[in-house]
Structure formats: structure tokens, C-alpha cells
Amino acid sequence: MPHHDQGFQPLRHTEYTPAEMLARAKEFHEQHEDRRTVRMFSNRPVNREVIELIIKTASTAPSGANKQPWNFCVVTNPDVKAKIREAAEKEEYENYHGRMSDDWLEDLKKFGTDWHKDFLTTAPYIIVAFKKAYDLDEEGNKEKNYYVNESVGLACGMLISAIHNAGLVTVTHTPSPMNFLQKVLERPDNERPFLLLPVGYPAEDAQVPVISRKELGEMSAWYE
């Protein structure tokens, strides 16, 4: 077994009784059953510390060799948000007017979306998750990262869960291509945009599409 002087330490783990475990699992599921993607935001301010803690929670995600190959850029500056919206809507217009297949456009109809992205300037925060294709040491030499997409995807999933847990809403926005974000935010060459998430309170009159989630038997397979 590993010892402390080998770079290990005792695991901090809280164990619950079977009844407590089930109750906690039910509560967590019920909380997240209400989670919805929201495209109608309020411009009400949100405490910066809340956003900081949300990002710190996301950064607890597992990553290949613990490289943590992500960077979360938080945008509140109105001028920068306006630049992001302008560039995003330009790409989205092209998507809705030629890039997307007919099947794709048909699948999107139930969500009532189009190329207009008002939430990019209305939401008080925009969080842009960047993936680090590689790291740079102090001398500028490249250091390899592992399972970058998987690691950043896990972190973004935890980010969304933390946003919902805090009583805020978001929408996963992936304008394609997204390289304009690297230019607008002046990120280094080793960072590539992965996901854009407006974060804030829902608008008072916010509505969401009527949809259903798959039942357990439709999205899991058990081998007993």
C-alpha cells in the first residue's frame, strides 16, 4: 500500500447508511429533474463569489493524469459580450441558412431557436470553457495533456450541475465554428474554445419547451 512519503494521503470519504444514501440520491435526482436549458435571461446581477464557487466546483472534475486541461473565462464586460454576440450570430446565421441539414433544422423546430442570441448580452455572466490542447512550462516548452475532450466535458457537466444547484440557469451554446472566441478573448494558442455558457437568473416570463426525458430502461442496460 502507498505511504505518505510516496505522495499519497488518506482518503477523505463520508459514508452514509443505506437509507441515507437512498434519500440523498433521490433528493439529488429530484433537484436535477427540474434542471432545464433556458434561453430567456434576466439581467439581474449575481454575486461574483457564487460564480467563483461554481467554477471551483467544476474544477474538481477528474482529468487525465490530473492535468486539469481547462480554463474558464468569465465575461461581464458589456463591450466584450457585444463582440461575442455579434460574432456568434454571424456564424449562427450561416448555420441556419445553409450549413445545417434539413433534418437538423427540423429537429430544432420544437425548441423555437434561430440565429438570434439575445442571451449573450442579457445574462450577467458568460463563461467560456477552453480546453488546453497542451500546457506550456515556464520556458515555453510544450507539455502533453491527456484525454482533453473527455476531461473538459466532465468539468463542464459538473459546471452545469453547480449552476443549477446555485439556483441559476444556463444554456450550452456551441456556435460553430467557435474559433472567434479565441480571438475576441485573446487566448493563447494552446487554448481552444470548447463551450459557451451564459449564466444568470431566468427572465420573469421565461418559458421552456415541453419535452420529456428518456425513461431508465431507454438509456441504461443492466447485466445481472
Side-chain angles (χ1 to χ4, degrees), residues 143-193:
E143 294 183 345
K144 188 173 182 179
N145 288 330
Y146 310 96
Y147 300 105
V148 174
N149 286 333
E150 293 86 349
S151 299
V152 180
L154 289 166
C156 286
M158 293 185 68
L159 181 74
I160 293 167
S161 184
I163 290 169
H164 178 69
N165 181 68
L168 301 173
V169 297
T170 189
V171 52
T172 53
H173 185 42
T174 52
S176 181
M178 289 198 292
N179 31 350
F180 68 86
L181 289 167
Q182 190 170 15
K183 296 177 182 178
V184 172
L185 299 178
E186 299 180 346
R187 302 311 305 163
D189 291 340
N190 67 320
E191 294 186 12
R192 314 286 162 74

Side-chain angles (χ1 to χ4, degrees), residues 67-82:
K67 289 286 190 170
Q68 305 167 56
W70 48 67
N71 193 15
F72 297 100
C73 293
V74 184
V75 182
T76 59
N77 184 292
D79 293 334
V80 179
K81 289 198 291 184

Side-chain angles (χ1 to χ4, degrees), residues 38-92:
V38 174
R39 294 177 173 84
M40 302 171 67
F41 283 78
S42 166
N43 61 2
R44 289 168 58 194
V46 175
N47 187 333
R48 171 177 171 149
E49 188 177 3
V50 173
I51 303 301
E52 291 175 349
L53 287 168
I54 285 169
I55 291 173
K56 289 173 73 173
T57 298
S59 72
T60 67
S63 61
N66 194 36
K67 289 286 190 170
Q68 305 167 56
W70 48 67
N71 193 15
F72 297 100
C73 293
V74 184
V75 182
T76 59
N77 184 292
D79 293 334
V80 179
K81 289 198 291 184
K83 289 180 181 178
I84 290 174
R85 177 178 175 180
E86 181 181 5
E89 288 187 333
K90 180 180 178 181
E91 296 297 346
E92 290 289 79

Side-chain angles (χ1 to χ4, degrees), residues 203-218:
E204 290 187 5
D205 59 348
Q207 295 188 352
V208 293
V210 177
I211 60 173
S212 60
R213 293 187 170 99
K214 291 182 178 181
E215 296 294 333
L216 183 64
E218 298 178 276

